[in-house]
């Protein structure tokens, strides 16, 4: 009974975002990132926060999962904040102690940066990773990059490799687990001692793992040949991605959001970020 | 004292998560020294979990695992020593071979035990012999061996630790009939000659019947039956009910009874059945001596 | 009926690390009729898997000829397109289900073959649905393959072959890594493909019980055909099978043993009930004769 290993972070669901065309989602993410970097004052940031909340609600991804995904980012956030607070100089001094000068601008910038990074992460994960299966993602990417095929870029091969990698990640994780257990059963001491010792202890795990991966690759390539695989040429797809009205609206929303933010940036008063 | 004793053992995977699975429920069992025990059950019946509890790869959620009379989790820091006492041969063990030569690979376990060179050398040769590995192969790379030879080398790697209990998960999986026979025969001889207790996990009832003294049947995370081959297989109706099989010969014996030839319910190998039939026919044992084929 | 597969003096050899020549397939000439269910037995290294891989040109024969549906595969003017067409017609399912599934979703994987053949999308959709229906995996169409059981994975692999609409399917020890339940699922699928859909089946196996379900059994030894006949013909030749390192069904072994005790029973019964009935009859008769 192996652990339940899920690929990527895909969270099963049937929301509008889940159903959107992966190509549209990819484009939307790019749009959203642009929008996030366009926001420059309090009102536009407020709108950004609202948009992120809306995304979470629409996607129906539990907030717990999203906060869990944020955890590794805390360090970066704290670091960015400190950097901004202590180094940024402005007009309004709030605190002074020896060589330390803290300005209001620094604090505001720090807050804005934190909001920006957080929303960036929520945006990409809600629009893409949580709501799109890896295979849909590679499919979308392949078809989005289709025009590049004319330039002889191996777009199909790249996407095939991605698919196979995704397919075999769980298999290899399971395999690693098995080999580790087998070597532990022979008294292998994994994860103790100095760096050299630890590195050495990995050999009995890595060698069988590589050999098994090569064997699998070999068998898989034979199986693929038996199934008449001969590269991307002349290949058709079962599921042709088709754009629906909903997809256009989906991407359109982000354009409207961008336009709103630009307008707010220009006309609304309030604190303005320098960058 | 028994080699294995399990007291109220429970095991839960992913405790506290939505994926919680109660893999073992209240297992109580003992395995006697020097016996060859078969462990049968469906995939997911909990037998793989049980096996990993025996050498401390998994820790029971509750209950005690006693090996040779000592609770293996009494001192969690010494769990590695338990692995030398309980040798585990995993399924398809040939995929764990890694060293430059077969000799070095077999020596991996003994080396981890911290034995001296001389002792290691001796043990490698002994283990190779028990597993049926030609000593000429010892200096080859394990990756140049044939499938069956690799399996033996992996088996020798665990035997060389001189465990008190040797646990094997499907040791004959994927082998052809001759290969199965040879490897299981080797394991049985090893158990008998070295006095090591052996536990074999397998799906093949025919193999279990031929090579084991006692049988444990797992079903849905519980110990469903335990006893000698004769005791367990005579309850073939219950086994079939939970979707397990019994050796075909056991079913033949049951059908014979219906047709007026009662050779007993506890028949589980062909030779045993034939001996019973001979008895039924009034032939004495020396009359049939040598007439029975030992092909199986 | 015509022969879908025919080989003439087929040979194949390879060299080991130490430059030893191994004659894996040695002078094999056989004919397989369309619609037949053929089991191929033989111990490891008897050449049975190599033989199978020659039939769809995964390996190139050293000498000898192969005809698929009358077309000579080994002829010098065979094109690459011809080879791919042969591979479509002669599908192959392997031992390890994990190493033949390409995609991360069951139905995407089944579609892989037809996609390679350049079949229109709508047609692929239909074929995939049918293939999954045939192997009883429709329910799992959107599942991730790595979460399925061995038997289920293997049935997905079979569906992937069926979707290419082959005329013949070779199972290269496809049941060897499965538990009894998985093996039963796969065997039932194989049998159904043969009996119901009329596919020619070549089933390479170690399990004698599986071979008794075939129309014809070929036993290979040292790269050559050692025995060839119906299961009844083959499994009655107990001593020869033992000689080749194989086993016989327990029914046969039992009745063979009874004959050693002085009875004379037929050896070609593989089912429990008829075996017991015949044996009991003979035993009781023997007893009344010897009173």
């Amino acid at each position: 009974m192996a652990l339940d290993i899920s690929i990527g972070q895909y969270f099963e669901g049937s929301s509008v975002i889940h159903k959107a065309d992966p190509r549209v989602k990819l484009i939307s993410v790019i749009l959203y990132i642009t929008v996030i970097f366009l926001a420059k004052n309090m009102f536009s940031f407020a709108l950004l926060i609202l948009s992120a909340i809306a995304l979470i609600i629409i996607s129906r991804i539990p907030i717990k999962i999203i906060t869990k995904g944020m955890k590794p980012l805390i360090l970066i956030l704290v670091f960015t904040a400190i950097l901004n607070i202590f180094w940024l100089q402005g007009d309004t001094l709030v605190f002074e102690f020896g060589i330390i000068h803290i300005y209001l601008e620094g604090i505001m910038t720090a807050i804005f940066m934190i909001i920006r990074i957080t929303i960036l992460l929520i945006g990409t994960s809600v629009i893409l990773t949580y709501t799109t299966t890896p295979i849909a993602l590679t499919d979308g990417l392949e078809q989005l990059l289709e025009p590049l095929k004319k330039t002889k870029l191996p777009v199909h091969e790249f996407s095939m490799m991605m698919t196979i990698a995704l397919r075999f990640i769980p298999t290899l994780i399971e395999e690693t687990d098995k080999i580790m257990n087998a070597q532990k059963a022979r008294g292998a001491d994994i994860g103790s001692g100095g760096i050299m010792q630890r590195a050495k202890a990995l050999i009995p795990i890595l060698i069988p793992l590589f050999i098994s991966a090569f064997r699998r690759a070999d068998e898989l390539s034979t199986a693929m040949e038996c199934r008449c695989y001969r590269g991307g040429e002349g290949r058709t797809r079962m599921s042709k991605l088709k754009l629906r009205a909903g997809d256009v609206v989906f991407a359109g929303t982000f354009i409207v959001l961008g336009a709103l933010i630009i307008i707010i940036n220009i006309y609304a008063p309030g604190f303005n970020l320098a960058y | 004292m028994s080699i294995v004793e399990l007291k109220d053992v429970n095991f839960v995977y992913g405790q506290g998560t939505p994926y919680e699975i109660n893999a073992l429920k209240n297992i109580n069992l003992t395995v006697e020294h020097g016996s060859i025990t078969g462990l049968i059950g469906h995939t997911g019946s909990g037998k793989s979990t049980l096996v990993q509890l025996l050498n401390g790869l998994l820790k029971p959620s509750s209950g005690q695992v006693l090996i040779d009379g000592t609770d293996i989790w009494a001192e969690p820091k010494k769990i590695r020593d338990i692995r030398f006492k309980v040798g585990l041969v995993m399924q398809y063990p040939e995929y764990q071979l890694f060293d430059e030569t077969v000799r070095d690979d077999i020596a991996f376990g003994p080396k981890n035990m911290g034995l001296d060179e001389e002792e290691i050398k001796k043990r490698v040769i002994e283990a190779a012999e028990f597993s049926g590995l030609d000593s000429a192969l010892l200096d080859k790379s394990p990756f140049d061996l044939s499938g069956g030879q690799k399996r033996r080398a992996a088996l020798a790697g665990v035997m060389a630790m001189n465990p008190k209990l040797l646990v094997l998960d499907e040791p004959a999986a994927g082998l052809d009939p001759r290969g199965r026979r040879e490897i299981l025969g080797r394991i049985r001889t090893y158990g008998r000659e070295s006095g090591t207790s052996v536990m074999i996990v397998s799906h093949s009832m025919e193999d279990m019947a031929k090579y084991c003294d006692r049988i444990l049947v797992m079903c849905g995370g519980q110990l469903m039956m335990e006893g000698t081959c004769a005791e367990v297989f005579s309850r073939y109706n219950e086994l079939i009910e939970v979707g397990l099989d019994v050796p075909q010969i056991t079913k033949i014996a049951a059908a014979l009874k219906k047709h007026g030839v009662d050779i007993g319910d506890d028949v589980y190998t062909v030779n045993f059945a034939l001996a019973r039939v001979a008895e039924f026919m009034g032939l004495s044992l020396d009359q049939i001596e040598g007439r029975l084929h030992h092909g199986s | 009926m015509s022969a879908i597969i025919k080989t003439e003096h087929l040979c194949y050899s390879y060299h080991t690390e130490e430059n030893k020549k191994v004659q894996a397939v040695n002078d094999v000439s056989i004919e397989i009729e369309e619609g037949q269910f053929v089991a191929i037995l033989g111990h490891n290294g008897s050449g049975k898997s190599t033989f199978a891989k020659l039939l769809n040109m995964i390996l190139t024969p050293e000498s000898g000829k192969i005809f698929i549906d009358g077309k000579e595969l080994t002829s010098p003017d065979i094109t690459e397109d011809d080879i791919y067409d042969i591979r479509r017609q002669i599908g192959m399912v392997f031992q390890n289900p994990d190493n033949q599934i390409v995609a991360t979703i069951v139905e995407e994987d089944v579609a892989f073959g037809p996609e390679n053949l350049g079949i229109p999308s709508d047609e692929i959709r239909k074929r995939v649905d049918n293939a999954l229906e045939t192997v009883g995996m429709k329910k799992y169409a959107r599942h991730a393959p790595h979460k399925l059981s061995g038997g289920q994975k293997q049935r997905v692999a079979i569906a992937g072959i069926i979707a290419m609409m082959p005329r013949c399917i070779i199972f290269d020890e496809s049941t060897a890594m499965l538990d009894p339940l998985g093996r039963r699922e796969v065997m039932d699928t194989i049998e159904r493909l043969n009996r119901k859909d009329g596919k020619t089946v070549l089933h390479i196996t170690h399990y004698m019980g599986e071979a008794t379900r075939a129309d014809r059994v070929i036993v290979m030894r040292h790269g050559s055909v050692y025995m060839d006949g119906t299961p009844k013909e083959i499994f009655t030749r107990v001593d020869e099978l033992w000689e080749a390192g194989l086993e016989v069904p327990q029914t046969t072994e039992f009745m063979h043993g009874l004959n050693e005790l002085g009875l004379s029973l037929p050896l070609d019964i593989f089912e429990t009930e008829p075996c017991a009935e015949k044996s009991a009859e003979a035993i009781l008769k023997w007893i009344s004769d010897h009173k």
Side-chain angles (χ1 to χ4, degrees), chain C residues 49-63:
Chain C
S49 285
T50 312
F51 173 68
K53 288 199 181 91
L54 290 168
L55 296 180
N56 66 353
M57 293 299 260
I58 289 296
L59 297 174
T60 315
E62 188 183 356
S63 64

PDB file of all heavy atoms in Angstrom, chain C residues 49-63:
ATOM      1  N   SER C  49      10.033 -15.200 -25.970  1.00  0.00           N
ATOM      2  CA  SER C  49       9.811 -13.750 -26.069  1.00  0.00           C
ATOM      3  C   SER C  49      10.540 -13.162 -27.276  1.00  0.00           C
ATOM      4  O   SER C  49      10.020 -12.279 -27.946  1.00  0.00           O
ATOM      5  CB  SER C  49      10.296 -13.044 -24.807  1.00  0.00           C
ATOM      6  OG  SER C  49       9.394 -13.266 -23.767  1.00  0.00           O
ATOM      7  N   THR C  50      11.724 -13.669 -27.534  1.00  0.00           N
ATOM      8  CA  THR C  50      12.480 -13.201 -28.697  1.00  0.00           C
ATOM      9  C   THR C  50      11.695 -13.504 -29.971  1.00  0.00           C
ATOM     10  O   THR C  50      11.561 -12.663 -30.856  1.00  0.00           O
ATOM     11  CB  THR C  50      13.848 -13.918 -28.772  1.00  0.00           C
ATOM     12  OG1 THR C  50      14.447 -13.851 -27.489  1.00  0.00           O
ATOM     13  CG2 THR C  50      14.737 -13.287 -29.800  1.00  0.00           C
ATOM     14  N   PHE C  51      11.136 -14.712 -30.012  1.00  0.00           N
ATOM     15  CA  PHE C  51      10.355 -15.108 -31.170  1.00  0.00           C
ATOM     16  C   PHE C  51       9.215 -14.109 -31.393  1.00  0.00           C
ATOM     17  O   PHE C  51       8.990 -13.642 -32.510  1.00  0.00           O
ATOM     18  CB  PHE C  51       9.808 -16.524 -30.958  1.00  0.00           C
ATOM     19  CG  PHE C  51       8.863 -16.968 -32.021  1.00  0.00           C
ATOM     20  CD1 PHE C  51       9.315 -17.203 -33.311  1.00  0.00           C
ATOM     21  CD2 PHE C  51       7.511 -17.142 -31.747  1.00  0.00           C
ATOM     22  CE1 PHE C  51       8.438 -17.606 -34.308  1.00  0.00           C
ATOM     23  CE2 PHE C  51       6.630 -17.535 -32.726  1.00  0.00           C
ATOM     24  CZ  PHE C  51       7.097 -17.764 -34.017  1.00  0.00           C
ATOM     25  N   ALA C  52       8.520 -13.768 -30.301  1.00  0.00           N
ATOM     26  CA  ALA C  52       7.387 -12.851 -30.420  1.00  0.00           C
ATOM     27  C   ALA C  52       7.839 -11.492 -30.952  1.00  0.00           C
ATOM     28  O   ALA C  52       7.174 -10.891 -31.791  1.00  0.00           O
ATOM     29  CB  ALA C  52       6.710 -12.689 -29.063  1.00  0.00           C
ATOM     30  N   LYS C  53       8.990 -11.017 -30.475  1.00  0.00           N
ATOM     31  CA  LYS C  53       9.452  -9.692 -30.897  1.00  0.00           C
ATOM     32  C   LYS C  53       9.911  -9.675 -32.353  1.00  0.00           C
ATOM     33  O   LYS C  53      10.021  -8.607 -32.949  1.00  0.00           O
ATOM     34  CB  LYS C  53      10.580  -9.217 -29.983  1.00  0.00           C
ATOM     35  CG  LYS C  53      10.079  -8.833 -28.600  1.00  0.00           C
ATOM     36  CD  LYS C  53      11.092  -7.960 -27.879  1.00  0.00           C
ATOM     37  CE  LYS C  53      10.627  -7.597 -26.492  1.00  0.00           C
ATOM     38  NZ  LYS C  53      11.072  -8.556 -25.476  1.00  0.00           N
ATOM     39  N   LEU C  54      10.188 -10.854 -32.918  1.00  0.00           N
ATOM     40  CA  LEU C  54      10.549 -10.909 -34.334  1.00  0.00           C
ATOM     41  C   LEU C  54       9.314 -10.694 -35.198  1.00  0.00           C
ATOM     42  O   LEU C  54       9.391 -10.134 -36.282  1.00  0.00           O
ATOM     43  CB  LEU C  54      11.177 -12.263 -34.667  1.00  0.00           C
ATOM     44  CG  LEU C  54      12.577 -12.529 -34.097  1.00  0.00           C
ATOM     45  CD1 LEU C  54      12.934 -13.997 -34.260  1.00  0.00           C
ATOM     46  CD2 LEU C  54      13.604 -11.651 -34.790  1.00  0.00           C
ATOM     47  N   LEU C  55       8.176 -11.142 -34.678  1.00  0.00           N
ATOM     48  CA  LEU C  55       6.965 -11.146 -35.495  1.00  0.00           C
ATOM     49  C   LEU C  55       6.480  -9.753 -35.856  1.00  0.00           C
ATOM     50  O   LEU C  55       5.801  -9.584 -36.857  1.00  0.00           O
ATOM     51  CB  LEU C  55       5.847 -11.913 -34.792  1.00  0.00           C
ATOM     52  CG  LEU C  55       6.112 -13.412 -34.570  1.00  0.00           C
ATOM     53  CD1 LEU C  55       4.935 -14.050 -33.877  1.00  0.00           C
ATOM     54  CD2 LEU C  55       6.406 -14.111 -35.889  1.00  0.00           C
ATOM     55  N   ASN C  56       6.782  -8.751 -35.029  1.00  0.00           N
ATOM     56  CA  ASN C  56       6.375  -7.400 -35.441  1.00  0.00           C
ATOM     57  C   ASN C  56       7.586  -6.492 -35.663  1.00  0.00           C
ATOM     58  O   ASN C  56       7.498  -5.287 -35.565  1.00  0.00           O
ATOM     59  CB  ASN C  56       5.365  -6.781 -34.476  1.00  0.00           C
ATOM     60  CG  ASN C  56       5.951  -6.531 -33.109  1.00  0.00           C
ATOM     61  OD1 ASN C  56       7.072  -6.937 -32.831  1.00  0.00           O
ATOM     62  ND2 ASN C  56       5.203  -5.862 -32.261  1.00  0.00           N
ATOM     63  N   MET C  57       8.700  -7.150 -35.975  1.00  0.00           N
ATOM     64  CA  MET C  57       9.903  -6.436 -36.399  1.00  0.00           C
ATOM     65  C   MET C  57      10.478  -5.494 -35.342  1.00  0.00           C
ATOM     66  O   MET C  57      11.138  -4.515 -35.666  1.00  0.00           O
ATOM     67  CB  MET C  57       9.638  -5.646 -37.695  1.00  0.00           C
ATOM     68  CG  MET C  57       9.388  -6.518 -38.895  1.00  0.00           C
ATOM     69  SD  MET C  57      10.778  -7.597 -39.286  1.00  0.00           S
ATOM     70  CE  MET C  57      11.555  -6.711 -40.633  1.00  0.00           C
ATOM     71  N   ILE C  58      10.224  -5.802 -34.064  1.00  0.00           N
ATOM     72  CA  ILE C  58      10.920  -5.061 -33.016  1.00  0.00           C
ATOM     73  C   ILE C  58      12.362  -5.551 -33.044  1.00  0.00           C
ATOM     74  O   ILE C  58      13.302  -4.810 -32.819  1.00  0.00           O
ATOM     75  CB  ILE C  58      10.248  -5.310 -31.644  1.00  0.00           C
ATOM     76  CG1 ILE C  58       8.889  -4.622 -31.601  1.00  0.00           C
ATOM     77  CG2 ILE C  58      11.127  -4.853 -30.506  1.00  0.00           C
ATOM     78  CD1 ILE C  58       8.909  -3.118 -31.691  1.00  0.00           C
ATOM     79  N   LEU C  59      12.537  -6.824 -33.351  1.00  0.00           N
ATOM     80  CA  LEU C  59      13.855  -7.385 -33.615  1.00  0.00           C
ATOM     81  C   LEU C  59      13.895  -7.825 -35.078  1.00  0.00           C
ATOM     82  O   LEU C  59      12.872  -8.216 -35.639  1.00  0.00           O
ATOM     83  CB  LEU C  59      14.114  -8.595 -32.702  1.00  0.00           C
ATOM     84  CG  LEU C  59      14.149  -8.335 -31.192  1.00  0.00           C
ATOM     85  CD1 LEU C  59      14.261  -9.651 -30.448  1.00  0.00           C
ATOM     86  CD2 LEU C  59      15.306  -7.418 -30.830  1.00  0.00           C
ATOM     87  N   THR C  60      15.062  -7.744 -35.673  1.00  0.00           N
ATOM     88  CA  THR C  60      15.196  -8.147 -37.071  1.00  0.00           C
ATOM     89  C   THR C  60      15.813  -9.539 -37.141  1.00  0.00           C
ATOM     90  O   THR C  60      16.870  -9.773 -36.552  1.00  0.00           O
ATOM     91  CB  THR C  60      16.094  -7.150 -37.827  1.00  0.00           C
ATOM     92  OG1 THR C  60      15.692  -5.844 -37.460  1.00  0.00           O
ATOM     93  CG2 THR C  60      15.978  -7.327 -39.313  1.00  0.00           C
ATOM     94  N   PRO C  61      15.157 -10.451 -37.840  1.00  0.00           N
ATOM     95  CA  PRO C  61      15.681 -11.818 -37.874  1.00  0.00           C
ATOM     96  C   PRO C  61      17.045 -11.906 -38.562  1.00  0.00           C
ATOM     97  O   PRO C  61      17.381 -11.079 -39.409  1.00  0.00           O
ATOM     98  CB  PRO C  61      14.622 -12.595 -38.655  1.00  0.00           C
ATOM     99  CG  PRO C  61      13.752 -11.592 -39.286  1.00  0.00           C
ATOM    100  CD  PRO C  61      13.898 -10.309 -38.545  1.00  0.00           C
ATOM    101  N   GLU C  62      17.773 -12.920 -38.148  1.00  0.00           N
ATOM    102  CA  GLU C  62      19.096 -13.150 -38.705  1.00  0.00           C
ATOM    103  C   GLU C  62      18.952 -13.833 -40.070  1.00  0.00           C
ATOM    104  O   GLU C  62      19.583 -13.466 -41.043  1.00  0.00           O
ATOM    105  CB  GLU C  62      19.843 -14.047 -37.721  1.00  0.00           C
ATOM    106  CG  GLU C  62      21.281 -14.273 -38.002  1.00  0.00           C
ATOM    107  CD  GLU C  62      21.864 -15.240 -36.972  1.00  0.00           C
ATOM    108  OE1 GLU C  62      21.149 -15.640 -36.032  1.00  0.00           O
ATOM    109  OE2 GLU C  62      23.016 -15.604 -37.127  1.00  0.00           O
ATOM    110  N   SER C  63      18.092 -14.820 -40.071  1.00  0.00           N
ATOM    111  CA  SER C  63      17.779 -15.469 -41.353  1.00  0.00           C
ATOM    112  C   SER C  63      16.395 -16.071 -41.249  1.00  0.00           C
ATOM    113  O   SER C  63      15.810 -16.121 -40.172  1.00  0.00           O
ATOM    114  CB  SER C  63      18.810 -16.561 -41.652  1.00  0.00           C
ATOM    115  OG  SER C  63      18.727 -17.571 -40.670  1.00  0.00           O
TER     116      SER C  63
END
